[in-house]
Amino acid sequence: MIENVLAGLVLAACVVMLLRLALGSARRSRFDRLSRSLWAGLRARSLALWRWPRSRRKAQQLADDAIRRAREGRWEGNVYTPDQFKKPPRDEMH
């Protein structure tokens, strides 16, 4: 199965290179520009899909950390005071 897929890819690459040789110089340069832009778009999409789960996990972790820090504070009326910003008492500041 994998041999047939590999053979098909090699055949497709050979046909594309043969067609490129048959083109004139102006059409060849246009074909090269198009192929470069298609390749760049394909690489960008594949990298984005590859990095997407990692960035989603990182965003979820950051959100969970923010929620956890918000729960560690205390409410005085309608004012929220986070514990991590509390200053130590003046007699312990030395």
Side-chain angles (χ1 to χ4, degrees):
M1 174 79 180
I2 190 79
E3 295 88 8
N4 291 338
V5 172
L6 187 58
L9 289 175
V10 170
L11 177 65
C14 289
V15 168
V16 168
M17 288 188 288
L18 182 64
L19 289 175
R20 185 182 176 278
L21 285 175
L23 295 175
S25 64
R27 288 184 181 175
R28 187 180 308 142
S29 67
R30 202 170 353 153
F31 176 80
D32 290 343
R33 274 190 310 238
L34 176 67
S35 62
R36 273 190 233 117
S37 67
L38 287 174
W39 179 252
L42 181 66
R43 282 185 56 204
R45 282 192 199 108
S46 66
L47 286 176
L49 288 175
W50 181 62
R51 292 180 180 167
W52 182 71
R54 185 184 318 157
S55 62
R56 187 172 181 183
R57 280 192 306 267
K58 185 175 180 181
Q60 183 65 42
Q61 180 64 37
L62 290 173
D64 291 342
D65 289 344
I67 291 169
R68 181 187 47 76
R69 283 193 311 271
R71 288 182 180 157
E72 291 175 353
R74 66 175 200 277
W75 286 92
E76 295 173 7
N78 64 346
V79 177
Y80 173 75
T81 307
D83 288 338
Q84 72 183 49
F85 295 122
K86 277 199 300 188
K87 294 181 181 178
R90 288 192 168 185
D91 58 341
E92 294 180 12
M93 289 182 70
H94 300 296

